[in-house]
Short mmCIF file of all heavy atoms in Angstrom, two decimals:
data_model
loop_
_atom_site.label_atom_id
_atom_site.label_comp_id
_atom_site.label_asym_id
_atom_site.label_seq_id
_atom_site.Cartn_x
_atom_site.Cartn_y
_atom_site.Cartn_z
N SER A 1 0.84 -1.20 0.00
CA SER A 1 0.00 0.00 0.00
C SER A 1 0.87 1.25 0.00
O SER A 1 0.93 1.99 0.95
CB SER A 1 -0.94 0.00 1.20
OG SER A 1 -0.19 0.03 2.41
N GLY A 2 1.58 1.45 -1.07
CA GLY A 2 2.39 2.65 -1.21
C GLY A 2 3.64 2.68 -0.35
O GLY A 2 3.96 3.68 0.25
N GLY A 3 4.34 1.57 -0.24
CA GLY A 3 5.61 1.56 0.46
C GLY A 3 5.56 0.96 1.85
O GLY A 3 6.57 0.60 2.40
N THR A 4 4.39 0.85 2.45
CA THR A 4 4.30 0.20 3.76
C THR A 4 3.51 -1.08 3.61
O THR A 4 2.62 -1.20 2.78
CB THR A 4 3.60 1.12 4.78
OG1 THR A 4 2.28 1.39 4.32
CG2 THR A 4 4.36 2.42 4.95
N ASN A 5 3.86 -2.05 4.41
CA ASN A 5 3.16 -3.33 4.37
C ASN A 5 2.01 -3.32 5.37
O ASN A 5 2.19 -2.96 6.52
CB ASN A 5 4.11 -4.48 4.69
CG ASN A 5 5.07 -4.73 3.55
OD1 ASN A 5 4.75 -4.43 2.41
ND2 ASN A 5 6.23 -5.27 3.87
N VAL A 6 0.86 -3.71 4.91
CA VAL A 6 -0.33 -3.79 5.74
C VAL A 6 -0.77 -5.24 5.75
O VAL A 6 -0.75 -5.91 4.73
CB VAL A 6 -1.46 -2.91 5.16
CG1 VAL A 6 -2.73 -3.06 5.97
CG2 VAL A 6 -1.02 -1.46 5.11
N CYS A 7 -1.15 -5.75 6.89
CA CYS A 7 -1.59 -7.12 6.99
C CYS A 7 -3.08 -7.19 6.68
O CYS A 7 -3.88 -6.49 7.28
CB CYS A 7 -1.32 -7.63 8.40
SG CYS A 7 -1.68 -9.36 8.60
N ALA A 8 -3.44 -8.00 5.71
CA ALA A 8 -4.84 -8.21 5.35
C ALA A 8 -5.26 -9.57 5.87
O ALA A 8 -4.52 -10.53 5.79
CB ALA A 8 -5.02 -8.14 3.85
N LYS A 9 -6.46 -9.66 6.44
CA LYS A 9 -6.94 -10.92 7.00
C LYS A 9 -8.22 -11.34 6.30
O LYS A 9 -9.04 -10.51 5.94
CB LYS A 9 -7.22 -10.76 8.49
CG LYS A 9 -6.00 -10.45 9.30
CD LYS A 9 -6.35 -10.30 10.76
CE LYS A 9 -5.14 -9.91 11.57
NZ LYS A 9 -5.44 -9.75 12.97
N ARG A 10 -8.34 -12.62 6.10
CA ARG A 10 -9.56 -13.18 5.56
C ARG A 10 -9.94 -14.35 6.44
O ARG A 10 -9.13 -15.22 6.73
CB ARG A 10 -9.35 -13.67 4.13
CG ARG A 10 -10.57 -14.40 3.60
CD ARG A 10 -10.41 -14.78 2.18
NE ARG A 10 -10.52 -13.55 1.41
CZ ARG A 10 -10.30 -13.47 0.12
NH1 ARG A 10 -9.94 -14.54 -0.54
NH2 ARG A 10 -10.42 -12.35 -0.51
N ARG A 11 -11.16 -14.36 6.88
CA ARG A 11 -11.65 -15.44 7.72
C ARG A 11 -12.52 -16.35 6.88
O ARG A 11 -13.37 -15.90 6.14
CB ARG A 11 -12.47 -14.87 8.88
CG ARG A 11 -12.89 -15.88 9.88
CD ARG A 11 -13.53 -15.21 11.06
NE ARG A 11 -12.66 -14.23 11.65
CZ ARG A 11 -11.95 -14.40 12.75
NH1 ARG A 11 -12.03 -15.52 13.39
NH2 ARG A 11 -11.18 -13.46 13.23
N ILE A 12 -12.28 -17.65 7.00
CA ILE A 12 -13.05 -18.63 6.26
C ILE A 12 -13.80 -19.48 7.27
O ILE A 12 -13.21 -20.03 8.19
CB ILE A 12 -12.13 -19.52 5.40
CG1 ILE A 12 -11.38 -18.67 4.39
CG2 ILE A 12 -12.93 -20.61 4.71
CD1 ILE A 12 -10.33 -19.41 3.63
N GLN A 13 -15.10 -19.57 7.09
CA GLN A 13 -15.92 -20.37 7.98
C GLN A 13 -16.37 -21.61 7.24
O GLN A 13 -16.86 -21.53 6.12
CB GLN A 13 -17.15 -19.57 8.44
CG GLN A 13 -18.06 -20.37 9.35
CD GLN A 13 -19.21 -19.53 9.86
OE1 GLN A 13 -19.11 -18.31 9.96
NE2 GLN A 13 -20.30 -20.18 10.18
N VAL A 14 -16.20 -22.75 7.87
CA VAL A 14 -16.63 -24.01 7.30
C VAL A 14 -17.63 -24.63 8.24
O VAL A 14 -17.32 -24.88 9.41
CB VAL A 14 -15.43 -24.98 7.09
CG1 VAL A 14 -15.90 -26.30 6.54
CG2 VAL A 14 -14.39 -24.34 6.20
N ASN A 15 -18.84 -24.84 7.78
CA ASN A 15 -19.87 -25.47 8.59
C ASN A 15 -19.86 -26.97 8.30
O ASN A 15 -19.88 -27.39 7.15
CB ASN A 15 -21.25 -24.89 8.27
CG ASN A 15 -21.33 -23.43 8.63
OD1 ASN A 15 -20.80 -23.01 9.65
ND2 ASN A 15 -21.99 -22.65 7.81
N THR A 16 -19.82 -27.77 9.35
CA THR A 16 -19.80 -29.21 9.19
C THR A 16 -20.98 -29.83 9.94
O THR A 16 -21.55 -29.21 10.82
CB THR A 16 -18.49 -29.82 9.73
OG1 THR A 16 -18.39 -29.52 11.12
CG2 THR A 16 -17.29 -29.26 8.99
N ALA A 17 -21.30 -31.03 9.58
CA ALA A 17 -22.35 -31.76 10.27
C ALA A 17 -21.79 -33.11 10.67
O ALA A 17 -20.91 -33.65 10.02
CB ALA A 17 -23.56 -31.94 9.36
N GLY A 18 -22.30 -33.64 11.75
CA GLY A 18 -21.81 -34.94 12.21
C GLY A 18 -20.46 -34.79 12.86
O GLY A 18 -20.17 -33.79 13.49
N GLY A 19 -19.62 -35.76 12.69
CA GLY A 19 -18.29 -35.72 13.29
C GLY A 19 -17.24 -36.05 12.27
O GLY A 19 -17.53 -36.35 11.12
N SER A 20 -16.00 -36.01 12.70
CA SER A 20 -14.90 -36.34 11.81
C SER A 20 -14.84 -37.86 11.63
O SER A 20 -15.49 -38.62 12.34
CB SER A 20 -13.59 -35.81 12.37
OG SER A 20 -13.28 -36.48 13.57
N ALA A 21 -14.03 -38.28 10.69
CA ALA A 21 -13.89 -39.70 10.43
C ALA A 21 -13.45 -40.42 11.69
O ALA A 21 -12.52 -40.00 12.37
CB ALA A 21 -12.86 -39.92 9.31
N HIS A 22 -14.13 -41.47 12.02
CA HIS A 22 -13.80 -42.30 13.17
C HIS A 22 -13.90 -41.53 14.49
O HIS A 22 -13.33 -41.94 15.49
CB HIS A 22 -12.42 -42.94 13.01
CG HIS A 22 -12.27 -43.65 11.71
ND1 HIS A 22 -12.89 -44.86 11.45
CD2 HIS A 22 -11.63 -43.32 10.57
CE1 HIS A 22 -12.60 -45.24 10.22
NE2 HIS A 22 -11.85 -44.32 9.66
N GLY A 23 -14.59 -40.40 14.50
CA GLY A 23 -14.79 -39.64 15.72
C GLY A 23 -13.53 -39.04 16.31
O GLY A 23 -13.43 -38.83 17.52
N ALA A 24 -12.54 -38.75 15.49
CA ALA A 24 -11.27 -38.22 15.98
C ALA A 24 -10.95 -36.89 15.32
O ALA A 24 -11.44 -36.58 14.25
CB ALA A 24 -10.14 -39.22 15.71
N ALA A 25 -10.11 -36.11 15.98
CA ALA A 25 -9.67 -34.82 15.43
C ALA A 25 -8.65 -35.03 14.32
O ALA A 25 -8.64 -34.33 13.32
CB ALA A 25 -9.08 -33.95 16.53
N VAL A 26 -7.76 -36.02 14.49
CA VAL A 26 -6.71 -36.31 13.53
C VAL A 26 -6.68 -37.81 13.29
O VAL A 26 -6.60 -38.59 14.24
CB VAL A 26 -5.32 -35.84 14.03
CG1 VAL A 26 -4.23 -36.18 13.02
CG2 VAL A 26 -5.32 -34.36 14.35
N VAL A 27 -6.76 -38.22 12.01
CA VAL A 27 -6.70 -39.63 11.64
C VAL A 27 -5.69 -39.76 10.51
O VAL A 27 -5.71 -38.98 9.57
CB VAL A 27 -8.08 -40.15 11.17
CG1 VAL A 27 -7.99 -41.61 10.76
CG2 VAL A 27 -9.13 -39.96 12.24
N SER A 28 -4.80 -40.76 10.59
CA SER A 28 -3.77 -40.92 9.58
C SER A 28 -3.48 -42.39 9.32
O SER A 28 -3.56 -43.21 10.23
CB SER A 28 -2.48 -40.23 10.05
OG SER A 28 -1.41 -40.49 9.17
N LYS A 29 -3.11 -42.69 8.06
CA LYS A 29 -2.66 -44.03 7.73
C LYS A 29 -1.27 -44.28 8.28
O LYS A 29 -0.94 -45.39 8.68
CB LYS A 29 -2.60 -44.22 6.21
CG LYS A 29 -3.90 -44.46 5.55
CD LYS A 29 -3.66 -44.70 4.06
CE LYS A 29 -4.90 -45.19 3.38
NZ LYS A 29 -4.65 -45.55 1.98
N GLY A 30 -0.44 -43.25 8.21
CA GLY A 30 0.96 -43.39 8.60
C GLY A 30 1.30 -42.59 9.84
O GLY A 30 0.43 -42.06 10.51
N PRO A 31 2.59 -42.50 10.14
CA PRO A 31 3.05 -41.81 11.35
C PRO A 31 2.62 -40.34 11.40
O PRO A 31 2.42 -39.71 10.37
CB PRO A 31 4.58 -41.91 11.25
CG PRO A 31 4.83 -43.05 10.33
CD PRO A 31 3.69 -43.07 9.38
N ILE A 32 2.46 -39.84 12.60
CA ILE A 32 2.11 -38.44 12.84
C ILE A 32 3.21 -37.83 13.69
O ILE A 32 3.59 -38.39 14.72
CB ILE A 32 0.76 -38.32 13.59
CG1 ILE A 32 -0.37 -38.91 12.75
CG2 ILE A 32 0.47 -36.87 13.94
CD1 ILE A 32 -1.71 -38.98 13.48
N TYR A 33 3.71 -36.67 13.25
CA TYR A 33 4.76 -35.97 13.98
C TYR A 33 4.23 -34.59 14.38
O TYR A 33 4.03 -33.74 13.52
CB TYR A 33 6.02 -35.83 13.12
CG TYR A 33 6.49 -37.15 12.59
CD1 TYR A 33 6.29 -37.50 11.26
CD2 TYR A 33 7.11 -38.07 13.43
CE1 TYR A 33 6.69 -38.73 10.77
CE2 TYR A 33 7.52 -39.30 12.95
CZ TYR A 33 7.31 -39.62 11.63
OH TYR A 33 7.71 -40.84 11.15
N LEU A 34 4.00 -34.39 15.65
CA LEU A 34 3.51 -33.11 16.16
C LEU A 34 4.70 -32.33 16.71
O LEU A 34 4.99 -32.38 17.89
CB LEU A 34 2.45 -33.33 17.25
CG LEU A 34 1.23 -34.13 16.83
CD1 LEU A 34 0.35 -34.43 18.03
CD2 LEU A 34 0.45 -33.38 15.77
N SER A 35 5.40 -31.63 15.84
CA SER A 35 6.56 -30.88 16.27
C SER A 35 6.24 -29.40 16.27
O SER A 35 5.27 -28.96 15.67
CB SER A 35 7.75 -31.16 15.35
OG SER A 35 7.43 -30.76 14.04
N GLY A 36 7.04 -28.65 16.96
CA GLY A 36 6.82 -27.21 17.03
C GLY A 36 6.36 -26.81 18.42
O GLY A 36 6.18 -27.63 19.31
N ASN A 37 6.18 -25.54 18.58
CA ASN A 37 5.77 -25.00 19.88
C ASN A 37 4.28 -24.73 19.90
O ASN A 37 3.67 -24.42 18.89
CB ASN A 37 6.51 -23.70 20.18
CG ASN A 37 8.00 -23.93 20.29
OD1 ASN A 37 8.43 -24.92 20.86
ND2 ASN A 37 8.78 -23.02 19.75
N ASN A 38 3.70 -24.83 21.07
CA ASN A 38 2.30 -24.47 21.30
C ASN A 38 1.32 -25.25 20.44
O ASN A 38 0.36 -24.70 19.92
CB ASN A 38 2.09 -22.97 21.10
CG ASN A 38 2.96 -22.16 22.03
OD1 ASN A 38 3.08 -22.49 23.21
ND2 ASN A 38 3.59 -21.12 21.52
N VAL A 39 1.55 -26.55 20.25
CA VAL A 39 0.62 -27.40 19.54
C VAL A 39 -0.40 -27.92 20.55
O VAL A 39 -0.03 -28.54 21.55
CB VAL A 39 1.33 -28.58 18.85
CG1 VAL A 39 0.32 -29.54 18.23
CG2 VAL A 39 2.31 -28.07 17.80
#
């Protein structure tokens, strides 16, 4: 915006029904690595 950086935000809402596959938040065929901070 003319030489200065401005942060633009867009919020996306997803409406779901029922539950996730197998009733879990995360489901995987293979290994899961939860690395990083504040997970």
Side-chain angles (χ1 to χ4, degrees):
S1 63
T4 61
N5 288 334
V6 176
C7 185
K9 296 180 183 180
R10 173 175 288 173
R11 186 173 304 258
I12 299 172
Q13 179 176 334
V14 178
N15 296 321
T16 61
S20 65
H22 308 287
V26 179
V27 179
S28 173
K29 282 183 170 185
I32 298 173
Y33 306 105
L34 301 173
S35 60
N37 297 320
N38 301 316
V39 174

